[in-house]
């Protein structure tokens, strides 16, 4: 199979969908890899490294799309890329279809075979191709808190770990999944006094076994959050209810009662945010102040650490890409239930129920279209 990797063109997107190790794996399995010139530069990967691993470096995206049987990307195709795709071509990337009718319609009309990273789902409900980006965003959230707590950047002038004789920062984390656990670990590692909330008691029990002892685990409810937030220096929002908008667990009233110049990082902003006063921000303009509380609500946090994110993402996407290339998409999907969940569009048909529901279109079960 010919596998094509174009350069990402979305604003501030510096990740790339393959590393030299991935190129080697495809080539060793007998496939050909075409990479657009300078596709890896934003992640610190030179064309020469890809070339030495066995890839051909191609000048334009147009040529990559024209020649490849399967395109591997990071972000959804943008309007300028729609017409580069053709019927029957496989596209493996993050799509987030439910948030864009224009994109969904374009993929249906062009009859592209769309396999989305974000809906590949294991038997236990895990989302293996989404998790690595949550790990990055979680760890980063603690770093962001540490940075913005400094007075010159708008914070209270509190050092995460304190010093002997002076208390450390108090950091609240709401949501103890992948983002929240990673945020809590890093904040606690810096010496902060961390309180983590989750609504799932079994999750809290598990976290009690694995997290350091300077992290207090509390049941998430309005009363407990209200009590803890009053004297917090920082809050990290990390709640997810799969398939739904994030619940606004932290109300505007709670924010008003926070200490002046405290910091909130609402990582859940991509799902609407779990803090009532949040609104989406970007890497070029990441923060705003409201009720004298500094808000950081960047929707694509991992983009800031493009190199780490590229390697973390491709570690998990590569086995799926290889399986499709080695067996062909039909056999790969038939033999791998997690991958089958990733198929969203094929031959102009929607095969992922939640997306079909959002757009009020007919849903075709995967078993009916892949025979
Ligand atoms: N901004 C970004 O760049 C970025 C990057 C990665 C992930 N995210 C987002 O971060 C959010 C969290 O992702 P994740 O991978 O950690 O999800 P996850 O499913 O691993 O964890 C979510 C946690 O929230 C908990 N939860 C649900 N309802 C709750 C409540 N009422 N109170 C407290 N906890 C509750 C769940 O029990 C679960 O443990 C998602 O919205 C995700 O899309 C954003």
């Amino acid at each position: 199979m010919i596998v094509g990797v174009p350069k990402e063109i979305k604003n501030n997107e510096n990740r790339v969908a393959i590393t030299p190790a991935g190129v080697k794996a495809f080539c060793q399995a007998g496939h050909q890899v075409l990479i657009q010139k300078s596709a890896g530069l934003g992640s610190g990967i030179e064309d020469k490294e890809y070339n030495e691993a066995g890839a051909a470096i191609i000048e334009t995206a147009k040529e990559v799309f024209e020649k490849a049987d399967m395109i591997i990307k990071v972000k959804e195709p943008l309007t300028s890329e729609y017409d580069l795709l053709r019927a029957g071509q496989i596209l493996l990337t993050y799509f987030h279809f439910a948030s864009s009718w224009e994109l969904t319609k374009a993929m249906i009309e062009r009859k592209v075979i769309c396999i989305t990273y974000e809906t590949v789902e294991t038997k236990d409900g895990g989302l293996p191709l989404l998790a690595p980006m949550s790990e990055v965003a979680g760890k980063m959230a603690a770093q962001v808190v540490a940075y913005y707590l400094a007075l010159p950047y708008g914070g209270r002038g509190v050092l995460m770990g304190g010093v002997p004789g002076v208390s450390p920062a108090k950091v609240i984390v709401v949501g103890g999944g992948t983002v929240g656990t990673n945020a809590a670990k890093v904040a606690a590692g810096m010496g902060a006094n961390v309180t983590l909330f989750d609504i799932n008691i079994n999750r809290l029990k598990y976290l009690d076994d694995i997290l350091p002892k300077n992290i207090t685990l509390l049941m998430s409810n309005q009363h407990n959050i209200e009590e803890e937030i009053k004297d917090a220096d920082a809050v990290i929002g990390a709640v997810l209810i799969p398939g739904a908008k994030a619940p606004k667990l932290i109300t505007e009233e709670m924010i008003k009662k926070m200490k002046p110049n405290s910091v909130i990082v609402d990582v859940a902003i991509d799902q609407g945010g779990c803090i009532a006063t949040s609104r989406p921000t970007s890497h070029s303009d990441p923060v705003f102040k409201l009720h004298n509380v500094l808000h950081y609500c960047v929707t694509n946090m991992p983009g800031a650490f493009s190199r780490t994110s590229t390697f973390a993402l491709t570690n998990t996407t590569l086995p799926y890409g290889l399986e499709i290339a080695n067996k062909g998409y039909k056999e790969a999907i038939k033999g791998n239930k997690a991958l089958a969940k990733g198929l969203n569009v094929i031959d102009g048909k929607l095969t992922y129920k939640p997306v079909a529901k959002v757009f009020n279109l007919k849903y075709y079960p995967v078993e009916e279209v892949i025979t």
Side-chain angles (χ1 to χ4, degrees), residues 96 127 130-138 140 173-181 197-201 203 207 218-221 225 237-242 244 246-247 249 266-273 283 296-303:
H96 297 286
L127 303 171
L130 206 55
M133 295 304 98
S134 289
E135 287 165 357
V136 173
M140 181 180 164
V173 180
V174 187
T178 311
V179 168
T181 308
F197 289 96
D198 204 286
I199 202 164
N200 178 344
I201 190 68
R203 180 72 185 166
L207 293 179
L218 289 183
M219 177 49 75
S220 175
N221 57 48
I225 295 176
V239 167
L240 175 68
I241 298 176
L249 297 178
D266 196 351
V267 186
I269 191 68
D270 59 342
Q271 294 286 128
H283 287 296
Y296 175 101
C297 311
V298 173
T299 48
N300 62 333
M301 291 173 68

Side-chain angles (χ1 to χ4, degrees), residues 76-190:
E76 74 280 0
L78 300 189
T79 317
S80 63
E81 291 168 315
Y82 293 169
D83 285 334
L84 300 178
L85 289 156
R86 61 172 185 275
Q89 193 168 36
I90 305 164
L91 177 52
L92 186 59
T93 193
Y94 286 120
F95 280 98
H96 297 286
F97 275 124
S99 60
S100 171
W101 168 238
E102 186 206 315
L103 173 68
T104 311
K105 183 167 166 271
M107 294 304 107
I108 289 174
E109 282 174 359
R110 283 162 185 79
K111 299 197 162 141
V112 180
I113 301 168
C114 302
I115 303 177
T116 73
Y117 293 152
E118 70 273 14
T119 66
V120 169
E121 187 180 332
T122 51
K123 235 191 340 211
D124 57 359
L127 303 171
L129 307 190
L130 206 55
M133 295 304 98
S134 289
E135 287 165 357
V136 173
K139 290 191 167 172
M140 181 180 164
Q143 293 184 195
V144 168
V145 163
Y147 177 85
Y148 282 107
L149 273 178
L151 190 85
Y153 308 120
R156 288 174 42 71
V158 174
L159 188 64
M160 286 291 260
V163 290
V166 183
S167 302
K170 176 169 176 176
V171 178
I172 307 285
V173 180
V174 187
T178 311
V179 168
T181 308
N182 280 282
K185 268 199 291 197
V186 172
M190 288 179 184

